């Protein structure tokens, strides 16, 4: 059995380890919990990144720094 002959043995071994971990977690019933938490984390990251990408973070920081400068 020589799957993916173009990949090195290290890469093949790492893929088998990863697949084995995923199957083990699935057999233990943990994968759905992990997928739920990953979905939550990725969605929060996307919201925060979109907030920064749209420039809202910079605008808020600019307003905060202007507010502090006027009180000094």
């Amino acid at each position: 059995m020589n799957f993916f002959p173009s990949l090195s043995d290290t890469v093949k071994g790492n893929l088998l380890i990863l697949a084995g971990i995923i199957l083990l977690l699935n057999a233990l019933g943990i994968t759905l919990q992990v997928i739920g938490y990953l979905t939550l984390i990725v969605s929060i990251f996307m919201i925060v990144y979109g907030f920064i990408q749209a420039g809202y973070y910079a605008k808020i920081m600019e307003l905060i720094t202007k507010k502090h400068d006027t009180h000094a």
Side-chain angles (χ1 to χ4, degrees), residues 40-68:
L40 180 67
I41 291 168
V42 169
S43 63
I44 291 171
F45 171 77
M46 290 174 71
I47 291 168
V48 170
Y49 187 73
F51 192 79
I52 293 169
Q53 189 71 23
Y56 299 131
Y57 176 77
K59 290 178 183 177
I60 290 171
M61 291 307 294
E62 184 180 320
L63 290 173
I64 291 172
T65 54
K66 282 183 182 178
K67 186 182 272 189
H68 285 300

Side-chain angles (χ1 to χ4, degrees), residues 7-42:
L7 297 177
S8 71
D9 287 341
T10 304
V11 172
K12 289 182 208 175
N14 287 335
L15 289 174
L16 285 170
I17 290 169
L18 180 64
I21 290 171
I22 291 170
L23 286 173
L24 177 64
L25 292 175
N26 189 37
L28 295 173
I30 299 173
T31 49
L32 290 179
Q33 276 184 324
V34 170
I35 289 171
Y37 286 125
L38 285 175
T39 303
L40 180 67
I41 291 168
V42 169

